Amino acid sequence: EDLRQFREVVPFRHLTVLANEGVLAAVPELAANIRGDVAALDLKLTLVRVGRSVDAALAEIPPTADAVYVLPLIQLLPGDFDRLVKELIRRRLPAFSYWGRSEIDRGLLASTYLDTDFRRMGRRIALNLQRIVHGEEPGSIPVDFRRERRLTLNMSTARAIGVHPRWSIITEAEILHDARLGIQRRLDLATAAREVVVQNLDVLAADRFVAAGAQTIREARSALYPQLSISGRMQVIDADRAGASLGSQPQRLYLGSAGVSQLIYSDAALANVDIQEHLQASREQTREQTRLDVVFEGAVAYLNVLRAKTFERIERTNLNVTRSNLELAQARQRVGAARPAEVIRWENQIANNRRDVIRANAQRNLAEIELNRLLHRPLEEPFETAEASLSDPAMLTTAAQLEPYMDNPTAFDIFRDFMTGEGLALSPELRQLDAVILAQQRTVVAAERAFWAPTVAVQGDVTGIEPGGAGSGGFGTGLPIALSRANRINWTIGLAASVPLFTGGARRAELARAREQLDEQLLDRRAAAERVEQRIRSALHLAGSAYAGIELARTAAGAARRNLELVSDAYERGALPILDLLDAQNAALVAEQAAANAAYDYLIDLMNVQRAVGRFDFFMTPDEYRDFLARLKAFFSAAGYQRRSAPSQGDDGAVRP
């Protein structure tokens, strides 16, 4: 039976069995039984009699062997056994243990047994002796001591020897040493939040958006600086026409000019600079919105990874409980206390639980992929996580510090008012709209000044003319050559001012449109402030209820576990039917999931509060946090509320209850 299950873990054809030479000598039939079992599976066998020399035993393992079955080698010292295990791993040989789980923990690949409970066996022997002393017939006492069977895998060893068990095996087995080795990347909640700001592509794109916007200010300011231009032109006409033009059209004409202009006053140009500066401030606040959104998404994604890992662990634990119940049902069936249907029912439950484990594993993988995407890392790059707790020092506003402000309706009302004020002052959404409103107000002012403000500029240019060929002797004057040469360099300088007097009503329409747009933006700002306030207050209510639900969920989970223990004990004694045990197990599973959800829901709600307020604790300095606490204390004092207990702050900036 062991060999059949081992072949499901890893296929092999040539098996080496390591057996205690003293046991083989004491039980001559054992070697024959081993050969018969192996032959029944059409396998090649090498039986190695192991004494006290590990090196001698290793030397007898043939090079063609592709699997090893290790019987109890109790004669070996612990260091020798460990050396045997290391050499089998070095040879990439899958090694199976008859002894059980403890040898898998030491490096063998797999076993179908849990460890023998020698204390229980000793008690059983003592009880049997007591029954004999009391006169019971010894031949009527059962002496078979059945070992609990459960496939156990050492995944570290599996990776080292290149064995890759199927999903069906992984979900069925108890997995040891599953931590992935060689992973250099370590993440915690604060690290993920800080890394996402630097690496996320959306944030990098927002940086480029702001950098491009900065150039629009330079473009607007360029109109206020001198403008210099040069130009040149050459033209050639036929000689006959040039000769007949009497010098007005030379055969070849070269012209070069240079011009300079300087705007002295233009309210439209000045307004454009002011407007672009305000719009740039708006772009910067838009980038800040993107950063806050990405930090929130990164924090939530990290917490979802932790949640998915917890759910996977819960599902695996539930699968182990189902396995124990199956073994219990099989024991009840052997003694006639249960029908075969009970065993089949538990086998069906195991299949369902294995499917749940596979689904939970997939959900964990999806959560890790989502976090890697936000961090702009290879999507399936592995990483290790650190558990986030309600007192995580990375989150300055921990549950213990918030509780005094949320533990009664009056304090919570004041706290919501305070946090709303903080959020309205910090909100990048409102700051972005404020910048747009300033830009629109400048647009209105420019439209009003357009009725009377002139545009004043000074400009000048120099033009050089050089004729050549036929008709160039008296170019441009019709006079003798000596007199015409003086006019080949021309220059002009002038001052220009203009005010449009009538534009068909366009200026009034522009002014009216600008005022209407300003009114629209002011209303948008008020609506946005209402949305920000709603989000802050709603997030605080959710966080408050989630925090209150944590302890309740834990209490419910503890009660469900205790109920499962009682029902399991009653089922083992035959006092309750299988359906009661199934219900108790499902209730315990749901309660464990609810307890895990409660903690992570609170942390996510806390992240939502910080996003709504517009500031994450990860990026606050101790001085900023001290200022926050001072404002909070002053706000409560101004409201006339005396807290029953207040956090005190040490010299190091840490907040203590």
Side-chain angles (χ1 to χ4, degrees):
E1 187 174 351
D2 285 354
L3 294 176
R4 287 192 181 94
Q5 190 154 17
F6 292 156
R7 292 179 77 180
E8 293 180 7
V9 176
V10 54
F12 56 87
R13 295 292 304 163
H14 187 172
L15 177 69
T16 295
V17 176
L18 302 181
N20 185 316
E21 65 176 3
V23 175
L24 291 177
V27 188
E29 298 87 351
L30 183 58
N33 291 342
I34 292 174
R35 291 191 177 92
D37 289 341
V38 172
L41 296 177
D42 194 24
L43 295 173
K44 183 178 180 180
L45 172 67
T46 298
L47 182 60
V48 177
R49 298 172 182 267
V50 183
R52 294 186 178 275
S53 173
V54 171
D55 295 330
L58 290 170
E60 292 190 43
I61 299 177
T64 57
D66 51 6
V68 175
Y69 189 14
V70 182
L71 296 177
L73 303 177
I74 58 177
Q75 78 280 15
L76 293 181
L77 295 174
D80 290 336
F81 183 84
D82 291 337
R83 190 156 55 87
L84 170 67
V85 171
K86 290 180 181 179
E87 181 61 21
L88 293 176
I89 293 175
R90 191 192 68 80
R91 297 186 186 185
R92 300 173 67 86
L93 283 172
F96 308 106
S97 170
Y98 174 85
W99 186 269
R101 186 184 188 278
S102 60
E103 291 189 344
I104 307 310
D105 193 38
R106 294 173 68 178
L108 296 185
L109 176 63
S111 177
T112 61
Y113 292 108
L114 299 180
D115 286 337
T116 299
D117 189 345
F118 288 104
R119 297 183 64 184
R120 182 182 175 192
M121 182 181 290
R123 288 194 298 269
R124 174 74 64 84
I125 294 171
L127 289 172
N128 288 346
L129 289 172
Q130 185 180 37
R131 292 166 66 180
I132 295 171
V133 169
H134 288 169
E136 191 169 340
E137 172 61 36
S140 65
I141 300 176
V143 296
D144 180 38
F145 190 83
R146 293 188 61 85
R147 302 174 65 196
E148 291 189 49
R149 299 181 65 89
R150 183 174 303 165
L151 179 63
T152 306
L153 286 177
N154 186 319
M155 289 304 296
S156 176
T157 299
R159 286 189 289 268
I161 66 177
V163 170
H164 308 287
R166 300 190 306 274
W167 280 112
S168 59
I169 298 297
I170 293 176
T171 55
E172 175 66 22
E174 178 183 0
I175 303 298
L176 303 181
H177 303 292
D178 194 28
R180 291 167 289 186
L181 302 177
I183 298 177
Q184 301 298 323
R185 193 169 159 225
R186 300 288 189 274
L187 288 178
D188 55 31
L189 181 57
T191 302
R194 294 188 182 105
E195 186 176 326
V196 75
V197 175
V198 178
Q199 301 293 341
N200 183 265
L201 293 180
D202 291 333
V203 174
L204 295 178
D207 289 340
R208 302 284 76 75
F209 170 70
V210 172
Q215 302 309 310
T216 62
I217 300 176
R218 294 184 60 188
E219 291 178 18
R221 286 176 178 167
S222 66
L224 305 178
Y225 298 122
Q227 310 293 310
L228 178 65
S229 63
I230 59 173
S231 64
R233 183 166 66 90
M234 183 193 75
Q235 69 179 36
V236 180
I237 63 175
D238 59 275
D240 295 341
R241 183 152 53 102
S245 69
L246 300 178
S248 62
Q249 289 183 306
Q251 183 181 7
R252 293 186 301 276
L253 181 62
Y254 305 93
L255 297 98
S257 65
V260 62
S261 63
Q262 172 64 57
L263 189 65
I264 296 177
Y265 177 79
S266 171
D267 188 68
L270 295 172
N272 188 35
V273 173
D274 294 338
I275 290 169
Q276 293 304 325
E277 288 176 345
H278 292 315
L279 292 179
Q280 179 64 5
S282 172
R283 295 184 191 99
E284 291 172 354
Q285 293 304 315
T286 300
R287 176 180 62 183
E288 186 61 23
Q289 290 180 50
T290 300
R291 285 178 174 174
L292 289 173
D293 289 339
V294 167
V295 170
F296 175 72
E297 291 175 7
V300 171
Y302 182 84
L303 292 171
N304 282 336
V305 169
L306 298 184
R307 188 204 303 265
K309 292 176 70 173
T310 301
F311 272 43
E312 184 180 8
R313 184 175 64 251
I314 291 173
E315 293 290 357
R316 289 189 182 277
T317 301
N318 185 58
L319 177 58
N320 289 334
V321 172
T322 303
R323 288 196 189 102
S324 297
N325 290 334
L326 172 61
E327 294 165 0
L328 182 59
Q330 291 170 338
R332 283 165 48 84
Q333 182 188 13
R334 285 193 298 270
V335 298
R339 295 174 298 174
E342 285 194 23
V343 175
I344 296 173
R345 180 65 182 84
W346 286 116
E347 290 174 345
N348 174 71
Q349 186 67 24
I350 279 184
N352 291 332
N353 292 159
R354 289 170 64 185
R355 182 188 61 193
D356 293 339
V357 170
I358 293 174
R359 182 168 56 245
N361 178 266
Q363 291 299 322
R364 175 178 63 83
N365 291 332
L366 293 179
E368 291 176 347
I369 288 173
E370 170 67 9
L371 181 57
N372 276 330
R373 181 191 68 80
L374 290 169
L375 297 176
H376 186 43
R377 302 296 293 258
L379 294 184
E380 299 208 35
E381 180 180 80
F383 56 86
E384 294 293 341
T385 57
E387 190 65 36
S389 68
L390 302 184
S391 57
D392 193 333
M395 295 182 292
L396 299 177
T397 309
T398 61
Q401 295 159 16
L402 286 181
E403 185 176 10
Y405 302 103
M406 303 170 64
D407 62 355
N408 67 80
T410 302
F412 194 30
D413 286 344
I414 299 173
F415 183 66
R416 290 198 304 275
D417 290 339
F418 171 77
M419 294 300 289
T420 298
E422 291 280 300
L424 292 175
L426 293 171
S427 171
E429 291 89 346
L430 299 184
R431 290 181 174 181
Q432 186 264 342
L433 288 173
D434 288 340
V436 171
I437 289 172
L438 289 174
Q440 189 60 33
Q441 288 174 337
R442 187 63 179 90
T443 301
V444 171
V445 171
E448 291 172 342
R449 292 177 179 175
F451 287 94
W452 55 266
T455 298
V456 182
V458 62
Q459 60 184 21
D461 65 81
V462 177
T463 303
I465 303 172
E466 182 62 36
S472 62
F475 169 68
T477 63
L479 298 174
I481 295 176
L483 296 177
S484 64
R485 291 181 184 271
N487 295 317
R488 293 184 180 179
I489 299 296
N490 300 320
W491 59 269
T492 61
I493 187 171
L495 179 69
S498 64
V499 177
L501 298 178
F502 180 71
T503 59
R507 285 176 298 174
R508 293 190 179 278
E510 290 174 3
L511 177 59
R513 174 169 55 83
R515 287 172 173 169
E516 292 294 340
Q517 289 175 339
L518 178 59
D519 290 341
E520 174 193 3
Q521 291 166 359
L522 290 171
L523 291 172
D524 285 343
R525 207 271 185 196
R526 291 175 58 186
E530 290 180 349
R531 288 193 295 271
V532 169
E533 181 175 357
Q534 177 194 12
R535 181 175 179 180
I536 293 172
R537 293 182 180 275
S538 298
L540 283 168
H541 276 294
L542 290 174
S545 64
Y547 181 66
I550 292 174
E551 191 59 34
L552 297 176
R554 288 175 176 171
T555 301
R561 285 192 298 270
R562 291 192 297 273
N563 179 64
L564 177 59
E565 292 172 1
L566 294 173
V567 173
S568 297
D569 183 64
Y571 173 74
E572 185 176 8
R573 291 184 284 105
L576 288 176
I578 183 176
L579 291 180
D580 287 353
L581 182 54
L582 282 170
D583 289 342
Q585 183 178 341
N586 288 333
L589 173 64
V590 171
E592 288 288 346
Q593 292 174 338
N597 263 332
Y600 291 118
D601 284 346
Y602 170 73
L603 291 173
I604 289 175
D605 287 338
L606 189 58
M607 294 299 100
N608 196 24
V609 169
Q610 295 183 13
R611 171 59 188 93
V613 172
R615 176 185 58 211
F616 283 94
D617 290 353
F618 309 115
F619 306 105
M620 291 179 67
T621 65
D623 288 341
E624 290 173 336
Y625 192 60
R626 278 191 289 268
D627 291 341
F628 167 79
L629 292 178
R631 292 194 304 273
L632 179 59
K633 183 178 180 180
F635 191 88
F636 267 73
S637 297
Y641 181 84
Q642 295 296 324
R643 293 189 297 119
R644 58 178 176 81
S645 61
S648 64
Q649 188 170 296
D651 295 336
D652 58 356
V655 176
R656 303 180 180 88

